[in-house]
Amino acid sequence: MRKVLFLLVCLGLSGCATIAKYEAKLNTWVGVSEDSLIAAWGVPDKEYRFGDDKKAVMFARKNIVQTGGNTYMVPQTTYQSGTIGNKAYSGTSTQYVTETTPVQRYKLSCNTSFIINSSGIVESWHHEGNDCVSP
């Protein structure tokens, strides 16, 4: 049940966001200068230099999604019957009680890396995580 709820929350938050759309956006950066990439994405979270004058720059995105914690009223009907003296009675009463759904938190992340060649041009990309999607 929790997995279904998590999936529904992710779908609701992401709308029509997909990995394929994210990868299509990443493909537009291949052949672009590192300066343009950094101007758009900001300062990389990590950088690694290879021996052949190439480097990898990595951008990290982390988020926590919270579900639950909703409070609502639920009717509870009570049935009574019995006798008083020699008269029988029966009836119902309804009370509304407060219920709260449990709070659950889910960690979302996406690490996207770009390989920059010795000329300062993006030549490839790689991503990993459970939130590498784009609308």
Side-chain angles (χ1 to χ4, degrees), residues 92-112:
T92 62
S93 64
T94 302
Q95 295 181 355
Y96 286 83
V97 295
T98 303
E99 288 191 9
T100 302
T101 58
V103 173
Q104 300 199 6
R105 291 180 178 88
Y106 301 95
K107 293 180 182 179
L108 303 178
S109 68
C110 180
N111 294 332
T112 304

Side-chain angles (χ1 to χ4, degrees), residues 71-93:
T71 301
Y72 54 95
M73 303 299 285
V74 177
Q76 288 188 344
T77 302
T78 305
Y79 300 92
Q80 303 96 16
S81 63
T83 58
I84 297 178
N86 58 1
K87 292 204 172 207
Y89 70 90
S90 65
T92 62
S93 64

Side-chain angles (χ1 to χ4, degrees), residues 8-78:
L8 291 174
V9 167
C10 288
L11 288 174
L13 291 174
S14 62
C16 294
T18 65
I19 293 172
K21 289 180 182 179
Y22 188 68
E23 291 176 348
K25 284 187 176 184
L26 294 179
N27 282 332
T28 65
W29 289 103
V30 174
V32 175
S33 73
E34 177 185 11
D35 290 340
S36 296
L37 176 72
I38 291 174
W41 284 65
V43 176
D45 295 288
K46 290 185 182 178
E47 187 174 300
Y48 176 81
R49 293 203 174 270
F50 298 100
D52 57 358
D53 290 334
K54 288 184 182 182
K55 70 178 173 178
V57 293
M58 193 265 296
F59 300 90
R61 183 177 68 217
K62 295 179 182 178
N63 196 8
I64 295 178
V65 175
Q66 178 176 305
T67 62
N70 303 316
T71 301
Y72 54 95
M73 303 299 285
V74 177
Q76 288 188 344
T77 302
T78 305

